[in-house]
Amino acid sequence: MGCEVVVSGKLRGLRAKSMKFVDGLMIHSGEPKNLYVDTAVRHVLLRQGVLGIKVKIMLPLDPQGKCGPKVPLPDHVSIAEPKDSDAKLEHPYSTCVEKQDPQPLSA
């Protein structure tokens, strides 16, 4: 679904910098982050100093739970099929409103 890689440290030159590479969909907050996002951090020792690499991968939904979480995202919306139209009334408001005969005006 999505991936994010952050490389930080002395990439070029004397000053430390941070570079972020992002692609796809990534969630950053809430309980779904704990279920859907897999994170790894590694440190690389170089001659100039330490280089840090953070990788986040958002896993897809897997109903079997083998390579992803079983629980769907909370913003998932499922639309139910409409019920049979045979049970509909022809005039649903006809029983609620009673018609009154207009009274003639006396002059």
Side-chain angles (χ1 to χ4, degrees):
M1 302 253 310
C3 180
E4 178 179 313
V5 178
V6 179
V7 181
S8 59
K10 290 184 181 180
L11 300 172
R12 291 188 214 146
L14 296 175
R15 224 166 225 261
K17 294 180 182 174
S18 179
M19 295 178 71
K20 184 187 276 190
F21 304 95
V22 180
D23 189 26
L25 174 71
M26 179 70 64
I27 54 176
H28 294 280
S29 63
E31 181 62 24
K33 179 190 173 206
N34 298 335
L35 297 173
Y36 277 88
V37 178
D38 194 12
T39 306
V41 177
R42 291 292 178 258
H43 303 287
V44 180
L45 301 175
L46 298 175
R47 186 170 46 89
Q48 292 183 352
V50 179
L51 194 69
I53 300 173
K54 295 179 187 177
V55 177
K56 292 181 185 178
I57 298 174
M58 184 166 167
L59 303 171
L61 176 69
D62 184 18
Q64 285 82 25
K66 293 181 181 177
C67 60
K70 287 183 178 181
V71 182
L73 286 170
D75 61 350
H76 175 74
V77 176
S78 60
I79 299 173
E81 291 294 323
K83 294 182 180 179
D84 293 336
S85 63
D86 298 337
K88 283 174 132 181
L89 294 173
E90 289 183 19
H91 302 286
Y93 299 109
S94 63
T95 59
C96 298
V97 178
E98 297 177 12
K99 294 183 180 179
Q100 296 179 354
D101 292 331
Q103 296 178 358
L105 297 172
S106 58

